[in-house]
Amino acid sequence: MDSLPLLTIVTFLPLVGGLLLFAVPKGAEGAVRWVALATAVLGFVVSLPLLGYDGVAAGMQFAENYAWIPTWGLTWHLGIDGISVWLVMLTTFLGPIVILGAWDSVSRRHTEFFFHLLALQTAMLGAFVAQNLAVFYVFWELMLIPMFFLIGIWGGKERLYATLKFVLYTVFGSMLMLVAIFYLYWLHHEQAVAGLLGPAAALSPWSLEFTDLYRVQMGADVQAWLFLAFALAFAVKVPMFPLHTWLPDAHVQAPTAGSVVLAGVLLKMGTYGFLRLGMPLFPAAVAEWAWVILVLAVVGIVYGALVAMIQPDMKKLVAYSSVSHMGYIMLGIFVLNPQGVEGGILQMLNHGISTGALFLLVGVLYDRTHTRRIWDFGGLAKVMPIYTTVFIVVALSSAGLPGTNGFVGEFLTLLGAFQWGHEAFAQTGSFWSSYGYVVVAATGVVLGAVYLLWMIERVFFGPILQSRWLGLKDLSAREGLVFAPLLLMIFWMGLYPKPFIDKMEPTVEAWIEQIRAGEKKAASLPQGFGSPANPSGELHSRLAASGDAQSEGSEGGGD
Amino acid sequence: MPTDLHFSLMIPELVVLGSAVLVLLLDAVLHGGGPRPGEEDPRDTTLALSVVGCVVAAAWIPAVLWNIEGPRSSFNGLFVADRFSLFFKLVVLVGAALSLLLSDSWLRRRRLSSGAAHALVLFATSGMMYMVSAGDMVTLFLGLEVMSIPVYCLAALLRWEDRSVEAGVKYLVLGAFATAIMLFGFALLYGYQGLVGGVATTQLEPLQTTLMANAEALPLYARAGGLLVLIGLLFKISAAPFHMWTPDVYEGAPLPFVAFMSVAVKATAAAVLLRVFGGPLLAVLGLDGMLWVVAAFTMVVGNFMALVQDNVKRMLAYSSIAHGGYILVGVLAGSAEAQAGVLYYALAYTVGNVAAFAVLVYLSRQGHEAERFSDLQGLGARHPLVGGVMVLAMLSLTGIPPLVGFFGKFVIFKAAVAQGYVGLTILALLTSAVSFAYYLRPVIALFMRPTVGCEVAVIPVNRRVALCMGLTSLAICALGVFSESYLGWLSSAVLALAG
């Protein structure tokens, strides 16, 4: 197993399968679907060994490291830790479900459709397993293209507007991040040459390895600027209030499969970016500016829920519920204690499963009725009992009913936020800047129940308003096959989340430790350390040169 | 009397010139008007000859000249065949060969004689090759003229079409102005070299040495000379505000030759910029601030004006202006790494742009040029491979990894940040985010809009254009990912520039 590049295989298998689709002769749409499904199932099966991730030992496993462009210090470095293993599994798990869900609903250009779905899967997996910033960026940008086509070709009426808005929002964030990447890249080079980063780094000063970049030393002010650039890119993707406006458009216009992937995995890319890059790279900036993120997170929770409540379109309702749920994830991650972070990560998985399932369910209804307006429906429980049951279970899991996955995630997140508030209260004594966040966030739970239950009531209960719904078919066997694994996961993660938490716990603790340590280290550096004028602290050493002789490779003006 | 006559250094140029002359002769002998019944089509012969000329010249460079021992300059320094010039010659030759492949079907459909057009491309190419090899202001100027005049003619090739004539005349008049300005700059610098440097020579190296040695006390006329030369080159690279000719010329000129000028002229201008103003000279002349403004302005104008075009050729014209801006960032940064980045970028831009034009040529059909976005509508579904090439070209020009265009930006902006141009890099990347909005338009037209008209004419398979598309697509996909295999060449090319 050691020699087998498992992560590379897992990453590229969908793309290879997608390219194979073009070899299927024209007119054989059935065969195209089967090849796509087989690829996705195989992708899931191949990724199963990753569950052998050793949860006790934190750190990167299944690592692969090959030279790519050594002149620039780019390496093909992949690996997973207790956080990314779950996101990889989520992606490969949703792969076959999405394809099976889109089985009949694509009316034209099947080959391209399934190709883009599979290519998208490769791009997402690549971003989750990358351990080199260049590799990450490649996949991060690549992700846009298949989604651009999925919305733009197979989307609804306003698809061009929606898909361009999606691309442009994301790209503006990414480009600022790219500048910050170049800056970090250069800073690492300067500090490595100056000997600040140890002898190993001095040998290869150009590097974009995550682990190398984590060690770059920056004052809090420099970190704040770079954090801003990274945070913008990730916040657009999450999306955080007020950068979320592309999301409802994209979701409403996207075909069902596109929505499921978008909500299920793509949005996680933003929160994962914070976890992997935004926070560990700039811990001092996080300490200083976390309150902004926290405020935006709770605003997003409540705002998303309130706006979801009044949506007439089921899909838009689910889209806004995403804004709300992603707010929980951001809240959990940024309170920086084990409960909160674990809750946030669990919530990432839960949201992928529950919201993905909700989009699939809305898609099932839309395929049959060609409408998504809530007021067109009523009393569907009488004609589609199984569908109704599934829908209610999924909706309740999304609302966080105990016994379902949503409860565990939300509970841990709120617990983490409460603890954080408790500590903050001891320091500041101000209620609203400590407990306030968890209080506001908790109202989001109530609101979540309100909009979902209200939608359920209007769609499934009461009298059947239109006679044309009387003949609606209930879930077919294929659709049952789509939802069965999702329901299984909803209850598994709700009733017995221990295996999931166990595998991520050491990683999360090490991660928090890393950020705390980085924060302390940055606090010991003077302002302006790492700025363009003063990349490796010579300025400070010269200023402080009065007396205290500094040995070579010391921390500049810091220690 | 020059003592060093190394004609062997000039073999690629001589091959290109020779094939140009042969093409002209053959065209006259073989009745350039078109095939007669039972005769071989003479256009095939001239095309084959031109392409073979380019390929042989290009193959000669890595096979022989790259690793040649002994002197690399000839004719008393008038002609320099260092690795730097060799790299650009390769780029220019590749651009010329691909454009020749494109031009064939286009000329055929218009029932035009191809011999003259092919010969013009070859003459222009040889001019470019002399330009990048110029070690002397005179060679530089001669090369410039040999390049420019055939390109003006190519722009006006459709002499019965007002648009084409307008393009040619506009290019000629503005180009002549730019050349005159540049020549005036040369004159001032020559005078300065004679007065201060002691030896009146038109050679570039002694001039640069003199300028550097007197960096503290440069008279105004020397700075002005530098400025005027710079302006002449900025015109050729179509940097704003000297870009006004570009969209009109691109719109009016024949499609395949627009491909040629957009890549080859720009690469040549970039090479000469590096040769004349490379390294610290720009700052010594006090022109770095101006170039900063020009680069910023070029990127903004190019990217924003491209947004509002309805014509794909005009859009590509503004896009080429924007790419000129990115190249200028590399020139401005000036480190060896940045210069290598400019070389990389020239290559990346060449393959991306030629691929885009190849698709336009392919989709043009009898009486129906693929020029407006509406002309492309719905064709992607019918011709997915052709559409796919357009997608690759556009994504590469936008800078989506792992295509070669991304790595071009990567290496230039990496170097720019390292030289402290963080603000300019932010501007560059933000404007390149804007570029998504127009580079995606051909893709949207091809794949996401319905076909216009009741039926689409069947577009015949065109092997030559398809070959061009295949080669460029392959290059777009592979050149970036396998950068490591040739980065060493680039740095050795830049090394030649430094000393």
Side-chain angles (χ1 to χ4, degrees), chain A residues 427-502:
Chain A
Q427 283 177 10
T428 61
S430 150
F431 176 80
W432 283 109
S433 62
S434 54
Y435 292 115
Y437 295 104
V438 69
V439 170
V440 179
T443 61
V445 180
V446 182
L447 293 172
V450 171
Y451 61 74
L452 285 166
L453 291 176
W454 194 27
M455 171 175 71
I456 289 173
E457 190 224 317
R458 284 178 292 169
V459 172
F460 295 104
F461 300 107
I464 298 180
L465 294 178
Q466 299 184 26
S467 54
R468 59 182 167 148
W469 302 150
L470 285 172
L472 281 183
K473 287 198 186 74
D474 211 334
L475 288 185
S476 66
R478 170 185 64 82
E479 286 158 347
L481 206 58
V482 170
F483 291 110
L486 290 167
L487 289 175
L488 176 75
M489 289 312 294
I490 283 175
F491 287 116
W492 184 3
M493 292 177 67
L495 295 171
Y496 189 59
K498 194 169 176 304
F500 298 90
I501 295 178
D502 280 354

Side-chain angles (χ1 to χ4, degrees), chain B residues 178-246:
Chain B
T179 313
I181 288 172
M182 196 164 151
L183 204 54
F184 188 35
F186 282 152
L188 289 175
L189 289 175
Y190 175 69
Y192 173 78
Q193 165 69 4
L195 278 176
V196 180
V199 192
T201 170
T202 49
Q203 283 190 27
L204 286 170
E205 261 193 52
L207 174 66
Q208 283 162 339
T209 319
T210 316
L211 287 170
M212 295 296 294
N214 299 288
E216 301 301 317
L218 279 184
L220 185 62
Y221 71 88
R223 289 167 190 270
L227 175 67
L228 295 177
V229 174
L230 183 62
I231 287 177
L233 290 173
L234 290 177
F235 174 87
K236 287 291 170 197
I237 209 170
S238 54
F242 315 107
H243 66 285
M244 304 293 185
W245 58 276
T246 320

Side-chain angles (χ1 to χ4, degrees), chain A residues 68-72 109 137-138 141-142 145 148-149 152-153 159-160 167 171-172 175 179 182 185-186 206, chain B residues 395 401 406-407 410-411 413-414 417-418 426 429-430 432-434 436 440 443-444 447-449 481 484 487:
Chain A
W68 179 20
I69 307 182
T71 314
W72 296 335
R109 292 156 83 175
Y137 191 81
V138 166
E141 286 282 281
L142 210 54
I145 307 305
F148 168 73
F149 280 107
I153 299 183
R159 58 183 189 275
L160 291 183
V167 168
V171 156
F172 269 98
M175 287 297 157
V179 180
F182 285 132
Y185 191 28
W186 168 74
W206 289 112
Chain B
L395 295 184
F406 167 75
F407 288 98
F410 180 89
V411 59
F413 295 123
K414 167 185 182 246
V417 168
I426 293 177
L429 290 178
L430 281 184
S432 94
V434 172
F436 271 76
L440 291 178
V443 179
I444 288 175
F447 286 99
M448 301 179 189
R449 287 195 192 276
V481 178
E484 185 64 22
L487 281 178

Side-chain angles (χ1 to χ4, degrees), chain A residues 24 30 35 37 81 123 145 160 183 234 288 340 343 360 377 408 429 433 479 489 540 555:
Chain A
V24 175
V35 173
L37 182 65
D81 64 3
I145 307 305
L160 291 183
Y183 189 80
F234 297 141
E288 198 175 341
L360 280 167
F377 299 109
V408 185
S433 62
E479 286 158 347
M489 289 312 294
H540 294 298
E555 309 287 334

Side-chain angles (χ1 to χ4, degrees), chain A residues 184 187 191 216-220 222-223 226 281-282 522 525 529-530:
Chain A
L184 263 181
L187 204 57
Q191 300 193 348
V216 173
Q217 301 169 17
M218 287 168 281
V222 178
Q223 287 199 7
L226 296 175
L281 282 174
F282 315 112
L525 294 173
F529 193 103

